[in-house]
Amino acid sequence: MKTLVLGGYGNFGARISRALSQDANIELWVGGRDLERATAFAHSLGGGARGVRVDAQSPDLAQGLGFLGVDLVIHTAGPFQGQDYRVPQAVAAAGAHYIDLADGRRFVCDFPAAMDTAFRTAGRTAVTGASTVPALSSAVIDHLADGWQALRSIDICIAPAQGAPRGEATLAGVLAYCGAPIRVWQDGAWTEQPGWARPAKVQFARMKPRRGALCDIPDLELFPARYAGVQSVMFRAALEVGLTQQAFAFLAFLRRTGLLRAPQKLAPLLHATGGVFDAFGTALGGMVVRVEGTDAHGAVARRAWHIAADDNHGPEIPCMAAILLARRLARGDALPAGAHACAGLLTLSEFDPEFVRWGMVTDVVDEAPSTP
């Protein structure tokens, strides 16, 4: 299967390219605007990988993809906040499958309605959000609440290691909603809360507690619809160094008071200077997903799934869903035609070999319910 990774030498794209270059069922093309970088990185992978210049914003992208004869395009060139659908539209017109790592709420949540007809007409599959959220998060929730009578609350927190490599595009996406009002499903109703403000303490199985703050991700909108009866859905990010978490809270304050209108413009500066805090952090990051509801016996239950990723391997996690889906397509295993958000397409057990590959440790903990 001829597979093109857009942004294939970037922070996440490079990881996906490395993984897929070892698959005998995949012919890999590393795509990006810099042909020299794309070619050099492709050669470093071996296995016949090739570099190609691809501009995702080019008006003749569909013709270029058709000329290459690609079967699958994996779009990693973020940030996806504010991005339109010209890339998946071009992929559909070229008659190829499509997977992306989008975490932009509107991009992911509006994707199925916007792109389903184009991909069904082409007889191909398009999957958005094939990343930590909502691909892995939904797989974890399905596992934790399997057999339950009802699911009442979902609480997710991602805690990156301070020393883990960071992409400027990812940082720009995060800053885009810093201090902005975010619609959150709480106590069975929609409310608005400011992004990255009001950090709260979060407990982890194999890491010290951290303070996490609200982030705007697709899960906040997808999960109230996916899990009937759920009353609250929360997602936080907890930075390792307290000073950086406070800095984001301060930027949120400036945004809310009108003193800083576009925090995302600070991404290049913060990306360039962020390394000064690495000495105060570690190489250990992780994630926790907590669910509460009524178990199969009618009792109130609370369960948590934890993952700890050491040696700065945390950034491998957002790449796993796209890798797993690409391998599935390359094996000839069908995925549903049309356009889909990546919730429920993968099971937690499918991720387990990838966790083992990177030395990551997971725990499932039964906790005392917070309410009677």
Side-chain angles (χ1 to χ4, degrees):
M1 183 178 69
K2 187 176 289 187
T3 300
L4 170 67
V5 182
L6 280 178
Y9 49 78
N11 188 39
F12 295 129
R15 291 173 164 81
I16 293 173
S17 295
R18 288 191 193 97
L20 297 184
S21 69
Q22 307 304 312
D23 194 312
N25 295 319
I26 290 176
E27 178 184 339
L28 182 67
W29 290 76
V30 176
R33 286 179 291 184
D34 189 325
L35 176 59
E36 185 175 346
R37 287 184 64 189
T39 301
F41 181 70
H43 287 169
S44 74
L45 299 175
R50 286 178 280 184
V52 60
R53 185 186 183 280
V54 180
D55 183 355
Q57 304 304 312
S58 171
D60 59 355
L61 178 60
Q63 293 89 331
L65 297 176
F67 177 79
L68 290 175
V70 297
D71 302 301
L72 167 65
V73 174
I74 302 177
H75 184 12
T76 74
F80 289 89
Q81 287 81 0
Q83 200 171 131
D84 60 24
Y85 295 133
R86 70 183 65 187
V87 173
Q89 287 166 348
V91 174
H97 298 292
Y98 170 89
I99 298 171
D100 69 42
L101 273 65
D103 59 353
R105 182 167 174 171
R106 291 272 49 86
F107 187 98
V108 174
C109 293
D110 297 341
F111 185 90
M115 297 306 307
D116 192 65
T117 298
F119 279 95
R120 285 189 184 277
T121 301
R124 294 293 182 264
T125 297
V127 179
T128 186
S131 191
T132 308
V133 294
L136 175 58
S137 54
S138 64
V140 172
I141 294 165
D142 291 346
H143 176 79
L144 291 176
D146 184 32
W148 281 17
Q149 296 179 12
L151 182 59
R152 188 179 69 84
S153 70
I154 299 169
D155 197 315
I156 305 168
C157 184
I158 290 180
Q162 176 62 33
R166 311 173 274 277
E168 184 178 320
T170 302
L171 183 57
V174 166
L175 288 170
Y177 52 80
C178 186
I182 297 174
R183 291 184 77 234
V184 183
W185 185 248
Q186 292 288 292
D187 299 320
W190 289 107
T191 64
E192 285 192 348
Q193 301 179 24
W196 283 101
R198 307 168 189 166
K201 188 176 181 180
V202 181
Q203 300 283 352
F204 299 90
R206 296 175 184 265
M207 299 189 301
K208 295 179 180 179
R210 297 189 189 181
R211 297 181 67 80
L214 172 65
C215 293
D216 194 20
I217 64 160
D219 298 27
L220 295 175
E221 187 169 329
L222 295 176
F223 288 176
R226 174 174 170 77
Y227 299 103
V230 70
Q231 295 297 296
S232 297
V233 179
M234 175 55 66
F235 181 93
R236 298 182 179 91
L239 304 180
E240 184 174 11
V241 178
L243 185 59
T244 59
Q245 192 82 44
Q246 293 171 14
F248 271 77
F250 181 65
L251 293 177
F253 169 77
L254 294 178
R255 170 80 170 270
R256 293 164 63 196
T257 57
L259 297 175
L260 181 63
R261 296 187 179 276
Q264 62 270 29
K265 292 183 178 180
L266 297 175
L269 174 63
L270 295 180
H271 182 258
T273 60
V276 302
F277 296 103
D278 290 355
F280 302 100
T282 68
L284 180 63
M287 175 181 178
V288 60
V289 180
R290 285 187 168 89
V291 296
E292 191 163 343
T294 307
D295 67 16
H297 305 291
V300 176
R302 189 184 194 205
R303 305 186 79 197
W305 177 88
H306 301 261
I307 186 168
D310 209 348
D311 300 320
N312 288 323
H313 288 325
E316 302 293 342
I317 297 176
C319 306
M320 291 178 181
I323 293 167
L324 292 170
L325 291 173
R327 288 173 178 164
R328 185 185 291 181
L329 286 169
R331 291 194 305 265
D333 298 343
L335 288 172
H340 313 271
C342 196
L345 294 181
L346 293 162
T347 64
L348 185 57
S349 62
E350 290 179 270
F351 286 91
D352 286 340
E354 297 302 310
F355 298 152
V356 172
R357 186 189 313 277
W358 294 103
M360 300 175 186
V361 182
T362 62
D363 299 276
V364 174
V365 181
D366 289 304
E367 301 180 339
S370 59
T371 58

